[in-house]
Each structure stands twice: as C-alpha cells, then as structure tokens.
Amino acid sequence: QVKLQLEVRVNKNYDLFRAILYRTQVVAGTMYFIKVQVADTEYVHLKVLVGLPPENECPALVNFQTCKTKDDPLDYF
C-alpha cells in the first residue's frame, strides 16, 4: 500500500517490490520499518505509520532510505 507513495517521492517506478524483513515500534499506532527488495541487488528501507482506531489511518510512508543492500541492517531511522 505504500509502493505508490514511494514511487511518487523518488520519481521512479519499481517492477519488483518485495518486503524481506520488518520491525515494529508501538507509538500512536504502529511504526513499521521494512526492508524492501526493488531490484536484484537494490533495496530500500521504509518507515511506515499505521494509526490507531478509530481513525485507522491508511499506512503512511513517513520516511525512506534508498541505495541499500541485502546486508545493510534494518535500523530505526
């Protein structure tokens, strides 16, 4: 659900968009840190917020890091 948000922000389309790893942090909702494979050897790290009910906000792309590799640790950012 955040693929389009990322593509708009980086002005690039991704044919491959596969979540490989994620972590969560409870805030005013849930913050997800997600490692996504976007090419054979290219990865991006996403920071996605899902709000609490009753608003139940759609997932929102808060931040991202590009030019990551498979071996880069998925740290909080």
Side-chain angles (χ1 to χ4, degrees):
Q1 291 181 324
V2 296
K3 179 183 178 193
L4 181 59
Q5 294 176 53
L6 177 65
E7 289 176 336
V8 167
R9 289 175 68 175
V10 297
N11 196 27
K12 181 177 182 179
N13 291 327
Y14 295 109
D15 292 328
L16 176 63
F17 200 80
R18 180 182 307 136
I20 303 298
L21 178 70
Y22 77 94
R23 294 178 176 200
T24 60
Q25 178 184 26
V26 177
V27 290
T30 303
M31 190 71 70
Y32 290 89
F33 296 87
I34 309 167
K35 179 182 288 199
V36 177
Q37 183 179 11
V38 293
D40 288 340
T41 59
E42 184 182 351
Y43 294 77
V44 296
H45 292 181
L46 307 178
K47 184 176 181 180
V48 177
L49 175 64
V50 177
L52 290 173
E55 292 84 15
N56 251 358
E57 298 173 20
C58 293
L61 181 62
V62 175
N63 202 352
F64 61 93
Q65 297 175 334
T66 58
C67 302
K68 294 293 187 175
T69 67
K70 182 179 182 179
D71 297 325
D72 286 334
L74 182 60
D75 294 323
Y76 298 106
F77 60 94

